[in-house]
Amino acid sequence: MSAVIVAIDGPSGTGKSSTSKAVASELGLSYLDTGAQYRAITWWMLTNGVPVDDASAVAAAAARPVIDSGTDPAAPTIAVDGTDASGPIRTQEVTAAVSQVSAVPEVRTRITALQRSIAAGAAGGIVVEGRDIGTTVLPGADIKIFLTASPEARASRRSGELKGKDAAGLSATQEALIKRDAADSGRKTSPLKKADDAVEVDTTQLTLEQVVECVVTLVGKAAAAKAEAKAGQISK
Ligand code: DC
């Protein structure tokens, strides 16, 4: 597989992370979870007493945390100022604040630059997953995929442990998820959006294996087209 850049976007609960990691592992590509970076900066704001509802305070602090992402799909890592943040970034507190923090333009400029430099440094190719990868971060990606699923499927995937046991918990998850997607889609700076040239894959009725197979096929075709275009240029 040549060094392809793969952009995978979509809302929460579409199987984006599991798919992106599996595709990267299968094809020997690096992997970047951009949501983890927005969660990491949000966690830093919360632990350093920055009021997350004050956009100018968040903007003023946006350059301070040092965020490090490990891009091995078998063991991705995220560290803030040298401390492993993979546990704390998944707390309810961070999840509730991340849309607000990630809507601040100074935060996006900072994190977007970081993402572009990681992608440029991935010599063997990379799968980058997020919300604005195809539209803003890597508009020249070799293949762009936009994953979707019904709100019910997304909520039940997110709260797999509640499934069938706690209907109230499921509906609360669905409500929180819809609220976060609305905030992520409605923000002014690089909202969650399908790029015009992205391939949309509705995962509602598909198993993870089926989604992975579909994406691997799409990436394989894009890699072949890229190799062919390159060969054409060389022979000219
Ligand atoms: O993928 P996730 O749920 O871990 O992402 C957390 C939040 O980060 C999401 O609600 C919006 C934000 N995000 C973003 O604004 N842009 C991205 N490329 C990725 C995530």
Side-chain angles (χ1 to χ4, degrees):
M1 174 73 51
S2 59
V4 276
I5 301 218
V6 183
I8 303 190
D9 290 299
S12 341
T14 50
K16 217 167 14 134
S17 290
S18 312
T19 302
S20 301
K21 269 187 277 194
V23 168
S25 289
E26 197 167 322
L27 300 177
L29 304 170
S30 297
Y31 160 74
L32 178 62
D33 175 359
T34 63
Q37 297 177 314
Y38 285 103
R39 288 173 177 273
I41 199 164
T42 301
W43 175 63
W44 185 92
M45 299 280 168
L46 292 168
T47 51
N48 284 276
V50 177
V52 292
D53 53 355
D54 178 348
S56 53
V58 169
R64 290 177 55 201
V66 177
I67 295 168
D68 251 313
S69 299
T71 58
D72 175 355
T77 58
I78 181 90
V80 184
D81 294 341
T83 300
D84 173 23
S86 45
I89 63 163
R90 303 289 163 196
T91 58
Q92 203 42 52
E93 199 193 0
V94 169
T95 302
V98 66
S99 289
Q100 219 163 15
V101 171
S102 61
V104 175
E106 288 78 358
V107 168
R108 300 208 73 80
T109 305
R110 162 103 206 276
I111 302 291
T112 297
L114 185 62
Q115 292 160 356
R116 287 182 180 148
S117 87
I118 293 170
I126 189 165
V127 177
V128 184
E129 63 140 306
R131 304 289 193 289
D132 63 338
I133 310 307
T135 55
T136 308
V137 179
L138 301 166
D142 298 303
I143 172 89
K144 300 177 185 179
I145 292 158
F146 194 82
L147 298 182
T148 60
S150 71
E152 294 75 19
R154 297 194 290 117
S156 77
R157 282 176 193 163
R158 266 288 145 114
S159 54
E161 71 281 6
L162 292 171
K163 215 162 45 173
K165 289 185 202 151
D166 181 350
L170 193 62
S171 105
T173 303
Q174 186 171 334
E175 218 170 277
L177 204 127
I178 288 169
K179 207 170 136 200
R180 190 149 64 92
D181 288 344
D184 295 341
S185 310
R187 68 173 173 238
K188 275 207 191 97
T189 316
S190 54
L192 161 66
K193 192 174 175 290
K194 177 186 167 296
D196 292 338
D197 52 351
V199 180
E200 184 165 333
V201 179
D202 184 343
T203 69
T204 309
Q205 306 289 343
L206 303 178
T207 63
L208 175 63
E209 290 70 28
Q210 289 170 322
V211 181
V212 171
E213 195 186 329
C214 168
V215 175
V216 164
T217 305
L218 290 167
V219 174
K221 282 187 189 155
K226 190 179 181 181
E228 206 172 298
K230 205 170 161 191
Q233 266 176 359
I234 291 167
S235 69
K236 265 188 202 160

